[in-house]
Amino acid sequence: MVERSLQIILLAAGKGTRMKSDQPKVMHAIAGRSMLGHVLALAERAGASDVAVVIGPDMDNVRAEALAHMSRAQIYIQEQQRGTGDAVLAARGAIAAHDGDVLVLYGDTPLIELETLTKLRDALADDAQLAVLGFHAADPTGYGRLLSDPDGALIAIREHKDASAAEREISLCNSGVLAFRGEHLLSLLERIKNDNANGEYYLTDTVEVANGDGLRAVAITCPEEEVLGINSRTQLAQAEAIYQRRARQKAMDGGATLIAPETVWLSYDTVIGRDVVIEPNVFMAPGVTIADGALIRANCHLEGAQLGRGVKVGPFARLRPGTKLAAGAFIGNFVEVKNTTLGEGAKASHLSYLGDGVVGARANIGAGTIFCNYDGFNKARTTIGEGAFIGSNSALVAPVTIGKGAFVGSGSVISKDVSADALALSRAAQEEKPGWAAKFRTMMARRKQRASGG
Ligand code: UD1
Ligand code: CA
């Protein structure tokens, strides 16, 4: 069989007024990535050689988002929203230049699985010139209905508003995803009309035109949840829930223990190794990688962090972008780490801020240590050598370097570099006055007695 190239046309011209947002609908995120980003990632995985994104006028941010995810995407503008058929025609230049299969996807339908797209393409490879992705809707109201003949060929798609009472009884609906043998597409699109209840050019009418030409159209089905279209904040939350359920399942299938999976929030790019244990209530924003055997204790927030083998984090830790923890490092409760690397076995067990620094292997950062990395204008770096010991409640005023094996006494404010194996102290020397407290108590008791006239 000759391998046919794939073009994907992604419709994203809708404003999505029901989102009640200043952002176009496709800019809204699921698991830390815009819906548009999700669909473009799917297009990439599907092996599309050619991707055209149809946006509305004044959608520069959508254009930028599309190009950020896929620099080779071609952007087309649909000047007026005259229907899905008109939207696909906005990418006429791309269609005319392409030879192979064409798949139409919607920017607001981000949960489709790759296997489902493969099935649609397989239908084209068999004997169909047009394949529609359908699903059995729990409530078909509002969807286009798939009308088939007794041999299973698809003869038309009837939009809800235009459907008869009998047609409305059909629960097999159009997801919006259509696949075409590209050589027929422009000719089909040019012949659709807008004589329907909405006065729009319906992409779905290509099915009837194709049948009139003696071409074969078929329907392929998938579960309803894959083709959930997002029109409102409620549906956005439903899509997030579906995505999270899948991502947690993938993590567990990969050998991670999620004690309460429904309370662990993952991002689209979270990577989790084997024998990782994640306790309840953990949120992972984008950019998190967790190597084998790590333990993430309850109530942590992680973003842009790389965790090595066997690290322990939390409970109640915050790892911000640029955190790198080498194997066996430990970040304990109420510790915030940003743009800082910890070497193997290094520890910060309690109540600290480590920002813009490097901590050597096996160094120990005492409770309440602060890397003072910001002077109101610039950020500066703190470097701590291997095996160094930073006493509790120390402030390290960056830029500053603590040598290998050095000690910093508790409560110090360190603003000058400390040599290897030295002790640095910068707190006031301790004084002791023998018997002072006992004398003080006696004196105060007498005074009180006199004042009360005793
Ligand atoms: C469409 C289908 C319907 C299907 C449903 C699935 C048509 C005519 N109808 O209906 O059969 O059951 O999706 O959700 O195709 N868009 C543009 N430009 C336009 C019009 C739409 O870019 O001029 C984009 C929208 O942004 C959206 C998508 O195309 O992403 C679908 O458009 P919408 O108007 O929501 O179609 P439905 O009426 O839901
Ligand atoms: Ca819709």
Side-chain angles (χ1 to χ4, degrees):
M1 193 185 75
V2 185
E3 187 64 20
R4 293 168 59 86
S5 65
L6 176 65
Q7 175 174 64
I8 285 181
I9 300 179
L10 203 166
L11 302 190
K15 288 201 188 72
T17 45
R18 277 178 287 166
M19 295 296 283
K20 309 259 170 63
S21 172
D22 293 341
Q23 292 282 340
K25 177 157 74 173
V26 296
M27 297 295 282
H28 288 264
I30 292 170
R33 175 165 65 182
S34 66
M35 291 193 237
L36 182 62
H38 281 282
V39 182
L40 285 168
L42 177 67
E44 190 70 67
R45 287 196 295 139
S49 58
D50 202 59
V51 176
V53 182
V54 179
I55 65 173
D58 307 319
M59 285 193 182
D60 289 344
N61 54 348
V62 179
R63 174 195 297 268
E65 177 74 2
L67 294 174
H69 283 280
M70 191 184 265
S71 54
R72 66 191 174 92
Q74 305 163 62
I75 312 293
Y76 291 88
I77 294 178
Q78 184 192 22
E79 292 296 342
Q80 281 177 349
Q81 297 234 333
R82 300 193 301 167
T84 48
D86 179 68
V88 175
L89 260 184
R92 180 193 283 274
I95 300 167
H98 173 81
D99 185 26
D101 294 343
V102 182
L103 198 56
V104 178
L105 301 178
Y106 290 172
D108 66 356
T109 307
L111 298 173
I112 297 172
E113 305 264 23
L114 181 60
E115 299 68 51
T116 301
L117 297 188
T118 306
K119 278 196 226 162
L120 269 182
R121 291 195 71 197
D122 288 348
L124 294 184
D126 286 348
D127 62 344
Q129 284 79 40
L130 203 172
V132 175
L133 181 60
F135 66 102
H136 288 280
D139 174 10
T141 311
Y143 291 114
R145 308 299 206 284
L146 302 189
L147 312 184
S148 303
D149 72 12
D151 328 321
L154 185 66
I155 51 174
I157 301 178
R158 191 77 71 235
E159 289 306 304
H160 183 88
K161 279 190 185 168
D162 304 300
S164 66
E167 287 166 344
R168 286 185 183 183
E169 291 299 310
I170 297 170
S171 71
L172 184 58
C173 293
N174 174 27
S175 68
V177 177
L178 276 75
F180 298 87
R181 284 269 193 163
E183 59 268 35
H184 303 291
L185 181 55
L186 278 180
S187 133
L188 296 174
L189 286 172
E190 279 160 357
R191 285 178 286 155
I192 58 182
K193 299 193 179 67
N194 65 348
D195 51 353
N196 51 52
N198 278 342
E200 287 188 359
Y201 294 90
Y202 291 162
L203 177 63
T204 46
D205 282 352
T206 51
V207 173
E208 267 181 284
V209 181
N211 272 282
D213 288 355
L215 302 177
R216 183 173 161 79
V218 296
I220 300 297
T221 56
C222 74
E224 179 164 14
E225 97 173 9
E226 265 189 59
V227 289
L228 173 66
I230 286 126
N231 302 303
S232 64
R233 305 275 180 168
T234 303
Q235 286 168 331
L236 185 66
Q238 285 167 353
E240 179 78 42
I242 293 167
Y243 192 94
Q244 290 296 334
R245 203 187 63 227
R246 289 180 183 173
R248 291 163 187 151
Q249 189 62 52
K250 237 170 86 185
M252 292 188 285
D253 290 346
T257 294
L258 275 53
I259 294 176
E262 65 286 359
T263 69
V264 173
W265 298 86
L266 304 167
S267 279
Y268 71 96
D269 62 349
T270 307
V271 177
I272 302 179
R274 270 166 79 102
D275 290 319
V276 167
V277 175
I278 304 179
E279 291 184 354
N281 298 326
V282 172
F283 188 93
M284 296 190 226
V288 174
T289 304
I290 305 175
D292 297 353
L295 169 64
I296 313 298
R297 303 203 53 201
N299 299 301
C300 288
H301 191 286
L302 283 65
E303 178 174 13
Q306 289 175 32
L307 281 58
R309 282 175 171 262
V311 305
K312 292 191 174 69
V313 173
F316 294 98
R318 176 157 186 221
L319 304 185
R320 292 172 51 200
T323 296
K324 288 186 189 141
L325 307 181
F330 174 52
I331 294 295
N333 44 215
F334 306 107
V335 175
E336 174 180 346
V337 186
K338 186 214 71 170
N339 192 27
T340 292
T341 299
L342 268 77
E344 286 192 18
K347 288 182 191 164
S349 306
H350 339 260
L351 300 161
S352 290
Y353 172 61
L354 316 182
D356 300 311
V358 178
V359 177
R362 295 170 308 284
N364 192 317
I365 312 290
T369 297
I370 306 292
F371 289 8
C372 306
N373 61 330
Y374 186 52
D375 59 9
F377 297 92
N378 297 302
K379 298 280 170 67
R381 298 187 63 79
T382 298
T383 304
I384 296 179
E386 285 178 23
F389 182 94
I390 311 299
S392 296
N393 196 31
S394 294
L396 308 180
V397 183
V400 71
T401 297
I402 313 294
K404 279 189 190 179
F407 257 66
V408 168
S410 295
S412 294
V413 176
I414 299 294
S415 51
K416 285 183 253 167
D417 291 354
V418 177
S419 327
D421 293 322
L423 167 68
L425 282 173
S426 75
R427 61 196 188 210
Q430 185 169 324
E431 264 187 84
E432 181 162 324
K433 301 186 175 174
W436 183 94
K439 279 187 228 158
F440 175 75
R441 274 193 298 273
T442 311
M443 179 185 80
M444 291 310 273
R446 279 199 197 124
R447 249 187 226 177
K448 212 171 173 182
Q449 215 176 17
R450 274 202 296 274
S452 64

